[in-house]
Amino acid sequence: MKKLLASYGRDEEFRAVVEQIIADEEKKNNNVLARSLRKTLENIGVSPAPATAGLSRLVPFPDEAKDFIQRVEPRHTSQDIVLSHENLEQFVSLIQEFRQADRLKRHGLSVRSKLLFCGPPGTGKTLCAEVFAAELGLPFFHVRLDSLISSYLGETASNIRKTFEFARRQPCVLFFDEFDALARSRDESGEHNELRRVVNSLLIFIEQIAPSGFLIAATNLDQHLDPAIWRRFDEVIWFELPDTGMIRKYLTHAFKNSKIAFDPGVFAEELKGYSYADLEKLCVQTLKTSILDGSKQVNDAHFRSALRQAKRRRRRESQIEGGRLTG
């Protein structure tokens, strides 16, 4: 509540604090209150009240785009993600630009709003997009590629146009995951004319759109992207596997609400090469093992038991991947 009062008059911060309050109430299963707060937040801006006139309200879904876009309520904060120093600087700079957009535009300067996230699976691209939206106080929308990509000739490009039109009108973070499914290189053998037409349309849409918030595309397969895609984005942000320092920080945070009888940081070196998704599974399994053991503390044995399972899973996955490469 103190944060809410302190953010009075600063639109983005105000919305971010309200989103956090709503998320907290949802975690407590106070769903009636959460829904009421959500409805009130979405209606802000309908009446030109002086204190809230600058807050952007949610634009109703146009019927033609509702099947392709899903709203996702951010459930994580900046405390739940570990970023490299380089990426942290990038996001701080982007947030600063967004919050002072009018000031930049008065000087004839544009605001960076089209971002491409690249990196291996499990390195935090989707989580980062969600946290980024929460920090900005913008609603977070996920593009449903399974619905967007149509089996009918010509429809996919039309669906993309409708999605981009929504992003132009609605201040939000619009997130395309597995972007390579849409933006695959037109030079790859076997790609048919329909895909080429889709990529051509996508290039035009990205070039021309000036989103009210941010357009973020993420891919694990950047080597498959069409070469012309890269220069359409204002920034390309690379997500790498965490180093030992980042692993140690992640483990400390993962067990911050648990009583532990060991130092998880000592395993950081052994966990080099693990993604954040791998580390999350490892920590969750450790907690489960502790609970099932009836222990009041998480100890070294619980962690080592979960680690053996993680190593076995990674070994099997490597064998499967190796079979694909040689098959």
Side-chain angles (χ1 to χ4, degrees), residues 75-276:
R75 296 189 176 276
H76 297 90
T77 70
S78 58
Q79 301 299 314
D80 299 319
I81 190 169
V82 181
L83 294 173
S84 67
H85 180 71
E86 177 182 294
N87 284 355
L88 183 59
E89 282 190 335
Q90 281 271 38
F91 286 112
V92 169
S93 176
L94 288 165
I95 291 172
Q96 184 179 21
E97 277 192 25
F98 177 79
R99 290 178 174 169
Q100 301 190 50
D102 290 342
R103 184 178 180 184
L104 293 175
K105 290 174 182 176
R106 284 197 298 269
H107 288 79
L109 299 172
S110 61
V111 175
R112 291 172 294 172
S113 59
K114 292 176 278 192
L115 313 177
L116 178 61
F117 289 1
C118 299
T123 49
K125 298 185 292 297
T126 302
L127 174 60
C128 186
E130 176 188 326
V131 171
F132 186 57
E135 287 293 305
L136 291 168
L138 290 173
F140 182 53
F141 292 96
H142 202 292
V143 177
R144 298 175 54 197
L145 289 185
D146 58 332
S147 299
L148 187 76
I149 300 175
S150 173
S151 60
Y152 295 102
L153 291 177
E155 277 200 7
T156 299
S158 176
N159 295 344
I160 295 172
R161 178 188 59 76
K162 295 169 186 175
T163 301
F164 273 62
E165 175 61 21
F166 175 78
R168 185 187 64 79
R169 296 189 299 116
Q170 169 66 66
C172 67
V173 171
L174 184 68
F175 183 65
F176 287 80
D177 201 4
E178 299 181 355
F179 189 61
D180 48 277
L182 279 177
R184 189 171 291 272
S185 174
R186 292 165 290 180
D187 297 330
E188 289 191 9
S189 60
E191 298 301 354
H192 49 74
N193 290 333
E194 168 64 6
L195 179 66
R196 292 189 178 95
R197 284 195 293 270
V198 167
V199 176
N200 288 336
S201 298
L202 185 63
L203 290 169
I204 294 171
F205 292 141
I206 298 175
E207 182 83 41
Q208 294 181 346
I209 191 174
S212 300
F214 285 85
L215 170 69
I216 300 179
T219 179
N220 304 329
L221 303 171
D222 53 90
Q223 68 274 20
H224 292 300
L225 293 180
D226 191 275
I229 285 288
W230 296 88
R231 64 184 178 85
R232 261 65 179 191
F233 287 91
D234 300 322
E235 290 290 349
V236 178
I237 300 176
W238 299 90
F239 290 76
E240 308 289 350
L241 292 172
D243 59 27
T244 52
M246 296 165 75
I247 292 172
R248 192 174 293 109
K249 186 175 180 180
Y250 180 91
L251 294 175
T252 299
H253 179 74
F255 294 107
K256 66 182 177 65
N257 293 324
S258 305
K259 291 183 178 180
I260 57 175
F262 75 113
D263 178 11
V266 301
F267 291 92
E269 190 68 32
E270 190 174 353
L271 293 171
K272 283 183 68 174
Y274 280 61
S275 70
Y276 286 119

Side-chain angles (χ1 to χ4, degrees), residues 1-10 13-14 17:
M1 296 304 295
K2 287 172 64 178
K3 287 182 180 179
L4 186 64
L5 292 174
S7 67
Y8 179 80
R10 295 193 293 274
E13 292 181 32
F14 177 87
V17 175

